[in-house]
Protein backbone atom coordinates (compact mmCIF):
# COMPACT_ATOMS: atom_id res chain seq x y z
CA UNK A 1 0.00 0.00 0.00
CA UNK A 2 1.25 3.48 -0.82
CA UNK A 3 1.51 6.00 1.92
CA UNK A 4 3.59 7.97 4.35
CA UNK A 5 5.25 6.35 7.33
CA UNK A 6 6.39 8.32 10.33
CA UNK A 7 8.43 6.92 13.18
CA UNK A 8 8.53 6.76 16.06
CA UNK A 9 4.90 7.33 16.94
CA UNK A 10 5.79 8.42 20.46
CA UNK A 11 9.12 9.77 21.63
CA UNK A 12 10.39 11.04 24.94
CA UNK A 13 13.45 13.22 25.15
CA UNK A 14 15.43 14.85 27.88
CA UNK A 15 16.17 18.53 27.66
CA UNK A 16 19.34 19.27 25.74
CA UNK A 17 19.09 16.24 23.48
CA UNK A 18 18.64 16.29 19.74
CA UNK A 19 16.09 13.90 18.27
CA UNK A 20 15.39 12.88 14.68
CA UNK A 21 11.92 12.02 13.41
CA UNK A 22 11.68 9.80 10.38
CA UNK A 23 9.35 10.33 7.42
CA UNK A 24 9.27 7.96 4.45
CA UNK A 25 6.88 7.96 1.49
CA UNK A 26 6.39 5.49 -1.34
CA UNK A 27 3.95 7.64 -3.30
CA UNK A 28 6.68 8.94 -5.63
CA UNK A 29 5.79 12.46 -4.57
CA UNK A 30 8.24 15.27 -5.24
CA UNK A 31 7.20 17.58 -2.41
CA UNK A 32 7.41 16.86 1.31
CA UNK A 33 6.52 18.94 4.34
CA UNK A 34 6.89 19.03 8.11
CA UNK A 35 4.22 20.63 10.28
CA UNK A 36 3.98 21.13 14.00
CA UNK A 37 0.67 20.95 15.86
CA UNK A 38 0.19 22.05 19.46
CA UNK A 39 -2.87 20.98 21.50
CA UNK A 40 -6.04 22.57 20.19
CA UNK A 41 -4.10 24.49 17.57
CA UNK A 42 -3.70 24.51 13.82
CA UNK A 43 -0.74 23.29 11.81
CA UNK A 44 2.38 25.41 11.46
CA UNK A 45 4.89 24.77 8.71
CA UNK A 46 8.45 24.00 9.81
CA UNK A 47 10.25 23.06 6.59
CA UNK A 48 9.32 21.93 3.12
CA UNK A 49 11.09 20.44 0.16
CA UNK A 50 9.99 20.58 -3.46
CA UNK A 51 12.77 18.41 -4.83
CA UNK A 52 15.65 16.22 -3.74
CA UNK A 53 18.63 18.06 -2.26
CA UNK A 54 16.62 21.24 -1.82
CA UNK A 55 14.46 22.52 1.04
CA UNK A 56 13.09 25.81 2.36
CA UNK A 57 12.28 27.17 5.79
CA UNK A 58 8.66 27.43 6.74
CA UNK A 59 7.13 29.73 9.33
CA UNK A 60 8.76 28.23 12.44
CA UNK A 61 12.09 26.73 11.31
CA UNK A 62 14.21 27.92 14.25
CA UNK A 63 15.55 25.00 16.29
CA UNK A 64 14.85 22.46 13.55
CA UNK A 65 16.87 20.99 10.69
CA UNK A 66 16.03 18.72 7.76
CA UNK A 67 17.68 16.90 4.88
CA UNK A 68 16.37 15.59 1.57
CA UNK A 69 19.01 13.22 0.23
CA UNK A 70 16.46 10.82 -1.21
CA UNK A 71 13.11 11.48 -2.83
CA UNK A 72 11.29 9.17 -0.47
CA UNK A 73 12.82 10.42 2.78
CA UNK A 74 12.58 13.73 4.65
CA UNK A 75 13.83 13.39 8.24
CA UNK A 76 13.36 16.19 10.76
CA UNK A 77 15.82 16.86 13.58
CA UNK A 78 14.56 18.69 16.62
CA UNK A 79 17.62 20.28 18.12
CA UNK A 80 18.33 21.41 21.65
CA UNK A 81 17.95 24.96 20.40
CA UNK A 82 14.19 24.47 20.04
CA UNK A 83 12.82 26.11 23.17
CA UNK A 84 9.49 24.32 23.36
CA UNK A 85 9.73 21.08 21.39
CA UNK A 86 6.88 19.14 22.99
CA UNK A 87 4.32 18.82 20.20
CA UNK A 88 2.70 16.60 17.59
CA UNK A 89 4.77 16.51 14.40
CA UNK A 90 3.14 15.74 11.07
CA UNK A 91 4.90 14.89 7.84
CA UNK A 92 3.10 15.28 4.54
CA UNK A 93 3.76 14.91 0.84
CA UNK A 94 2.20 16.10 -2.39
CA UNK A 95 2.66 15.20 -6.03
CA UNK A 96 4.63 18.31 -6.86
CA UNK A 97 4.58 22.05 -6.94
CA UNK A 98 1.45 24.21 -6.94
CA UNK A 99 0.56 22.68 -3.58
CA UNK A 100 -2.09 20.17 -4.45
CA UNK A 101 -3.61 17.75 -2.00
CA UNK A 102 -1.39 16.89 0.96
CA UNK A 103 -1.15 13.31 2.19
CA UNK A 104 -0.27 13.13 5.87
CA UNK A 105 1.50 10.52 7.94
CA UNK A 106 0.06 9.45 11.27
CA UNK A 107 2.34 11.79 13.18
CA UNK A 108 5.00 11.61 15.85
CA UNK A 109 4.26 12.84 19.35
CA UNK A 110 7.36 14.24 21.03
CA UNK A 111 7.46 14.90 24.75
CA UNK A 112 10.39 16.59 26.42
CA UNK A 113 10.83 15.56 30.02
CA UNK B 1 2.61 36.01 7.56
CA UNK B 2 -0.65 36.05 5.72
CA UNK B 3 -3.17 33.94 7.58
CA UNK B 4 -6.56 32.42 7.12
CA UNK B 5 -8.98 32.88 9.99
CA UNK B 6 -11.52 30.22 10.85
CA UNK B 7 -14.68 30.81 12.83
CA UNK B 8 -15.98 29.58 15.08
CA UNK B 9 -13.09 27.99 16.94
CA UNK B 10 -15.49 25.54 18.59
CA UNK B 11 -18.86 24.29 17.38
CA UNK B 12 -21.16 22.28 19.63
CA UNK B 13 -23.89 20.73 17.54
CA UNK B 14 -26.90 18.64 18.43
CA UNK B 15 -26.99 15.44 16.42
CA UNK B 16 -29.26 15.95 13.43
CA UNK B 17 -28.79 19.71 13.22
CA UNK B 18 -26.94 21.69 10.57
CA UNK B 19 -23.99 24.02 11.02
CA UNK B 20 -21.56 26.11 9.01
CA UNK B 21 -17.92 26.93 9.58
CA UNK B 22 -16.15 29.79 7.85
CA UNK B 23 -12.68 30.52 6.54
CA UNK B 24 -11.68 34.12 5.83
CA UNK B 25 -8.66 35.74 4.25
CA UNK B 26 -7.70 39.40 3.84
CA UNK B 27 -6.14 38.63 0.47
CA UNK B 28 -7.43 36.95 -2.66
CA UNK B 29 -6.82 33.22 -2.66
CA UNK B 30 -5.72 31.15 -5.63
CA UNK B 31 -7.43 28.16 -4.11
CA UNK B 32 -8.64 26.82 -0.80
CA UNK B 33 -8.41 23.31 0.57
CA UNK B 34 -10.35 21.68 3.40
CA UNK B 35 -9.12 18.93 5.68
CA UNK B 36 -10.66 16.92 8.52
CA UNK B 37 -8.73 15.65 11.51
CA UNK B 38 -10.42 13.13 13.77
CA UNK B 39 -9.45 13.21 17.47
CA UNK B 40 -6.03 11.61 17.84
CA UNK B 41 -5.66 11.29 14.08
CA UNK B 42 -4.00 13.08 11.22
CA UNK B 43 -5.53 15.56 8.74
CA UNK B 44 -7.25 14.03 5.74
CA UNK B 45 -7.92 15.97 2.56
CA UNK B 46 -11.57 16.66 1.82
CA UNK B 47 -11.69 18.99 -1.16
CA UNK B 48 -10.07 21.80 -3.11
CA UNK B 49 -11.91 24.83 -4.47
CA UNK B 50 -10.41 26.90 -7.25
CA UNK B 51 -13.05 28.92 -9.06
CA UNK B 52 -14.85 32.02 -7.84
CA UNK B 53 -18.26 31.10 -6.45
CA UNK B 54 -17.54 27.39 -6.76
CA UNK B 55 -19.80 25.01 -4.84
CA UNK B 56 -18.97 21.36 -4.30
CA UNK B 57 -20.89 18.73 -2.40
CA UNK B 58 -19.82 15.53 -0.72
CA UNK B 59 -22.89 13.78 0.68
CA UNK B 60 -23.91 15.96 3.65
CA UNK B 61 -20.99 18.37 3.24
CA UNK B 62 -21.26 21.47 1.05
CA UNK B 63 -18.18 23.55 0.32
CA UNK B 64 -18.31 27.03 -1.15
CA UNK B 65 -15.70 29.48 -2.41
CA UNK B 66 -16.65 33.14 -2.20
CA UNK B 67 -17.18 35.26 -5.27
CA UNK B 68 -14.21 37.43 -4.37
CA UNK B 69 -12.12 34.35 -3.53
CA UNK B 70 -11.40 35.70 -0.06
CA UNK B 71 -13.55 33.35 1.95
CA UNK B 72 -14.89 29.84 2.01
CA UNK B 73 -17.45 27.92 3.98
CA UNK B 74 -18.23 24.34 4.92
CA UNK B 75 -21.84 23.48 5.67
CA UNK B 76 -22.78 20.15 7.20
CA UNK B 77 -26.39 19.02 7.23
CA UNK B 78 -27.95 16.50 9.61
CA UNK B 79 -24.83 16.26 11.75
CA UNK B 80 -23.81 12.77 12.84
CA UNK B 81 -21.42 11.59 15.54
CA UNK B 82 -19.01 10.61 12.77
CA UNK B 83 -18.63 14.32 11.95
CA UNK B 84 -16.72 14.88 15.19
CA UNK B 85 -13.26 16.32 14.61
CA UNK B 86 -11.45 19.47 13.60
CA UNK B 87 -12.00 20.98 10.18
CA UNK B 88 -9.18 23.00 8.72
CA UNK B 89 -9.07 25.24 5.71
CA UNK B 90 -5.72 25.84 4.05
CA UNK B 91 -4.51 28.29 1.46
CA UNK B 92 -1.67 27.95 -1.00
CA UNK B 93 1.01 30.62 -0.79
CA UNK B 94 3.72 29.94 -3.31
CA UNK B 95 4.84 26.37 -2.84
CA UNK B 96 3.55 25.99 0.69
CA UNK B 97 0.18 25.42 2.28
CA UNK B 98 -0.85 27.57 5.26
CA UNK B 99 -3.54 26.24 7.58
CA UNK B 100 -6.15 28.06 9.54
CA UNK B 101 -6.62 27.40 13.25
CA UNK B 102 -9.47 24.98 12.63
CA UNK B 103 -13.03 24.57 13.85
CA UNK B 104 -13.37 21.88 16.47
CA UNK B 105 -16.74 20.15 16.14
CA UNK B 106 -18.35 18.35 19.04
CA UNK B 107 -21.61 16.49 18.52
CA UNK B 108 -24.18 16.04 21.27
CA UNK B 109 -26.17 12.82 20.85
Amino acid sequence: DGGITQSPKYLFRKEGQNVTLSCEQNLNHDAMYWYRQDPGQGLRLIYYSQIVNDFQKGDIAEGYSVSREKKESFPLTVTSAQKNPTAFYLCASSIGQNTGELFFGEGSRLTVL
Amino acid sequence: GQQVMQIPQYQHVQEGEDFTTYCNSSTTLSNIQWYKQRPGGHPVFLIQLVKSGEVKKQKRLTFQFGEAKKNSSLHITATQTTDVGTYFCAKAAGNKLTFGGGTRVLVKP
Side-chain angles (χ1 to χ4, degrees), chain A:
Chain A
D1 289 335
I4 300 178
T5 302
Q6 289 188 240
S7 63
K9 192 169 184 178
Y10 299 95
L11 185 62
F12 296 88
R13 180 195 106 173
K14 292 182 180 180
E15 282 191 20
Q17 290 181 334
N18 292 356
V19 62
T20 297
L21 307 180
S22 170
C23 179
E24 303 279 332
Q25 55 100 357
N26 60 7
L27 300 168
N28 199 32
H29 285 174
D30 286 322
M32 296 187 75
Y33 308 81
W34 275 105
Y35 286 89
R36 169 182 171 141
Q37 187 175 33
D38 293 286
Q41 302 294 316
L43 284 69
R44 292 184 291 168
L45 182 64
I46 305 172
Y47 268 98
Y48 62 106
S49 168
Q50 296 295 308
I51 198 169
V52 176
N53 291 323
D54 189 38
F55 49 83
Q56 288 79 39
K57 293 182 179 179
D59 300 317
I60 56 165
E62 185 175 354
Y64 299 98
S65 65
V66 294
S67 64
R68 186 84 188 277
E69 297 177 0
K70 298 185 295 182
K71 186 175 184 178
E72 59 270 23
S73 179
F74 192 40
L76 173 73
T77 296
V78 185
T79 75
S80 56
Q82 169 51 232
K83 299 302 181 187
N84 186 19
T86 295
F88 188 47
Y89 291 89
L90 287 158
C91 179
S93 71
S94 65
I95 291 176
Q97 296 187 8
N98 300 319
T99 47
E101 172 186 353
L102 292 190
F103 294 80
F104 283 88
E106 294 189 350
S108 293
R109 193 170 298 278
L110 172 63
T111 302
V112 174
L113 304 173

Side-chain angles (χ1 to χ4, degrees), chain B residues 2-107:
Chain B
Q2 296 173 343
Q3 302 293 327
V4 284
M5 302 300 295
Q6 287 190 250
I7 53 172
Q9 188 175 359
Y10 295 94
Q11 181 77 57
H12 293 79
V13 190
Q14 190 72 43
E15 189 173 11
E17 292 186 343
D18 304 350
F19 76 91
T20 303
T21 178
Y22 300 90
C23 179
N24 299 313
S25 172
S26 58
T27 59
T28 302
L29 305 170
S30 58
N31 64 67
I32 194 84
Q33 296 181 18
W34 285 89
Y35 291 77
K36 177 183 178 181
Q37 183 177 24
R38 294 182 184 275
H42 59 277
V44 175
F45 175 82
L46 294 176
I47 210 153
Q48 176 169 285
L49 305 172
V50 178
K51 299 177 182 177
S52 169
E54 188 171 15
V55 178
K56 288 188 177 180
K57 293 188 176 184
Q58 290 180 352
K59 297 183 180 178
R60 296 179 294 102
L61 277 61
T62 301
F63 302 84
Q64 187 165 4
F65 204 5
E67 293 290 342
K69 299 183 74 173
K70 287 186 175 182
N71 54 72
S72 180
S73 64
L74 161 58
H75 181 79
I76 299 182
T77 58
T79 303
Q80 300 177 359
T81 55
T82 53
D83 296 323
V84 165
T86 303
Y87 294 82
F88 293 100
C89 65
K91 70 168 193 177
N95 291 325
K96 60 182 185 179
L97 204 60
T98 299
F99 285 77
T103 293
R104 191 170 182 181
V105 175
L106 303 171
V107 180

